[in-house]
Amino acid sequence: MTLVVGLTGGIGSGKTAVSRAFESLGAPVVDTDVIAHELSAAGAAGQRAVAAAFGPDAVATDGSLDRGWLRRRAFGDPSFRRGLEAILHPLIAEAARARVAAWTAPYGLLVVPLLLETERLRPLVDRVLVVDCPEDAQVARVRARSGLAEAEVRAIMAAQLPRATRLAQADDVLDNGGSPDAIGPQVARLDRFYRELAAAGPENPTGRAKLGQNGA
């Protein structure tokens, strides 16, 4: 059995950079954002279902889902967001489960931004790894990469768990509040730890022990 580490964190916290660092050490990664993009492509199951539910405004000129339009609607209208999630989340979860089931490595990472907000994929996860950084850093990073206004970024953050609540539910925390160079050493320590847990098996009594703030 592969140890499944659920990697999560607020928008802009650095989940992609962290997952790539783990991948460079040989850990398989399933990213639900990547799956969501695949399902949003022209003719994909998610695209067809969302277009049928919300009409042509939900579709971009290339036939894929208009993610910008959907994002603005979703974070401005909770009922719209719930309807969108009810369509896409089961499809994403089904694909994620199938990919995780194919793992043969000692451990792997399942990247789920809303892992702790929803229960759909939480039962699949053995440990929760939270990538953490200050909220102002989240805003700055998202604005730099996407050009979103600060109000839009904070609306997305408001739909996610508060930082303190997320940290309270973590088994492990990776501090990404500083230099990107700090990611590698923390990932290396966590990689060794997860391999030790996987080798010890599910009966290991320390399997739910928390690591320190820096994975030490």
Side-chain angles (χ1 to χ4, degrees):
M1 294 288 291
T2 298
L3 179 76
V4 180
V5 178
L7 187 153
T8 193
I11 185 171
S13 58
K15 296 181 293 295
T16 298
V18 171
S19 68
R20 286 175 178 165
F22 275 102
E23 203 166 24
S24 72
L25 297 178
V29 173
V30 169
D31 190 327
T32 56
D33 269 352
V34 172
I35 294 173
H37 277 280
E38 294 171 357
L39 290 169
S40 299
Q47 186 269 356
R48 297 195 307 271
V50 171
F54 300 115
D57 285 342
V59 181
T61 55
D62 64 357
S64 66
L65 290 180
D66 188 334
R67 293 172 66 89
W69 183 86
L70 290 169
R71 181 181 60 249
R72 290 189 295 272
R73 286 291 310 274
F75 290 104
D77 182 350
S79 63
F80 181 93
R81 183 174 70 249
R82 288 191 292 269
L84 180 64
E85 290 173 349
I87 294 170
L88 290 177
H89 283 189
L91 297 173
I92 294 169
E94 180 182 8
R97 289 191 190 96
R99 296 180 191 191
V100 168
W103 284 347
T104 58
Y107 81 93
L109 270 74
L110 175 60
V111 185
V112 189
L114 299 179
L115 177 66
L116 301 176
E117 286 83 349
T118 66
E119 290 297 319
R120 194 175 296 276
L121 286 171
R122 182 64 182 85
L124 195 62
V125 168
D126 298 305
R127 291 187 71 84
V128 174
L129 169 59
V130 168
V131 182
D132 180 60
C133 72
E135 292 180 355
D136 286 347
Q138 291 180 250
V139 174
R141 290 170 183 174
V142 176
R143 294 195 68 191
R145 81 183 183 206
S146 65
L148 293 178
E150 180 173 349
E152 290 182 276
V153 180
R154 292 200 179 275
I156 295 172
M157 292 168 62
Q160 300 178 335
L161 282 180
R163 182 185 181 192
T165 304
R166 187 184 300 115
L167 289 171
Q169 296 186 40
D171 294 301
D172 312 313
V173 177
L174 190 147
D175 181 359
N176 192 28
S179 166
D181 293 340
I183 291 176
Q186 294 182 75
V187 167
R189 289 194 292 270
L190 285 164
D191 174 76
R192 291 192 297 270
F193 179 71
Y194 293 148
R195 291 180 186 277
E196 291 169 1
L197 282 184
E203 70 282 357
N204 177 22
T206 66
R208 302 302 297 178
K210 288 192 177 183
L211 276 73
Q213 179 74 4
N214 294 315

